[in-house]
Every structure is written in C-alpha cells, then in structure tokens.
Amino acid sequence: MNRSIVILMVVLMLCALSLVAAQQKTRTLYVALERAQTEERRLNQEWLRLEFEQRNLSKSARINEIARKQLQMQAINPARTQYVTVD
C-alpha cells in the first residue's frame, strides 16, 4: 500500500510540474505574440507612411518644379525646335 501511495505521489508531482511548465510556456508564447503584433502594427504604419511619401514624390507638379529649378529645364518653344530631315 505504501509503495502505491509513493508512486501516485510521484506521478502527481510530475503532473503538477508538467502543468507549471506548460503554463510558463503559454505565457512566454503569449508575450512573443503580443510583441510580434505590436511590431506588425508599427511596420504597417511605416508602410502607409512610405506609400504616402511615394505618392507625393511622384506627383507631376513636383516633377515639373524639380525639372525647372534644379535641372534648369524649360518648356518646349517652337522657335527653338530643330527639325532633322533625311535625304
């Protein structure tokens, strides 16, 4: 009888330790999940900001402004147009 009680106590202790280990692993995985979701939200916000910035940089008005000011380009002038003819 004593032997069966000791065996049951050992099995009960192993089950209790297994439960504690499973709960700790669950907590650890939950914390990792929360961190990953926070990172996902941050990256989504960064992606939206970059898309907005790309749209602003690719607007034709901005391109025309840069062409005129930085590259010193001018609009087409028929008086300065040269035509090439082939014989």
Side-chain angles (χ1 to χ4, degrees), residues 13-78:
M13 292 295 287
L14 289 174
C15 287
L17 289 173
S18 172
L19 176 65
V20 169
Q23 287 177 338
Q24 179 62 29
K25 187 169 184 174
T26 302
R27 287 186 191 115
T28 304
L29 290 174
Y30 183 75
V31 168
L33 175 66
E34 287 294 318
R35 286 184 183 148
Q37 287 175 341
T38 302
E39 181 70 8
E40 178 190 19
R41 284 190 292 272
R42 186 188 68 77
L43 289 173
N44 279 337
Q45 288 175 348
E46 180 73 10
W47 175 257
L48 291 174
R49 185 188 67 76
L50 289 172
E51 279 186 327
F52 178 75
E53 185 176 331
Q54 181 183 17
R55 272 187 259 119
N56 282 342
L57 291 175
S58 65
K59 287 184 178 175
S60 62
R62 187 177 190 310
I63 294 171
N64 285 336
E65 177 186 344
I66 290 173
R68 284 197 176 102
K69 290 183 179 176
Q70 291 180 1
L71 302 176
Q72 298 175 355
M73 296 178 80
Q74 298 175 359
I76 297 173
N77 185 353

Side-chain angles (χ1 to χ4, degrees), residues 3-20:
R3 183 171 234 171
S4 64
I5 291 175
V6 171
I7 292 174
L8 286 175
M9 292 279 288
V10 169
V11 170
L12 179 64
M13 292 295 287
L14 289 174
C15 287
L17 289 173
S18 172
L19 176 65
V20 169

Side-chain angles (χ1 to χ4, degrees), residues 75-86:
I76 297 173
N77 185 353
R80 295 185 60 199
T81 305
Q82 295 180 358
Y83 296 98
V84 178
T85 58
V86 178

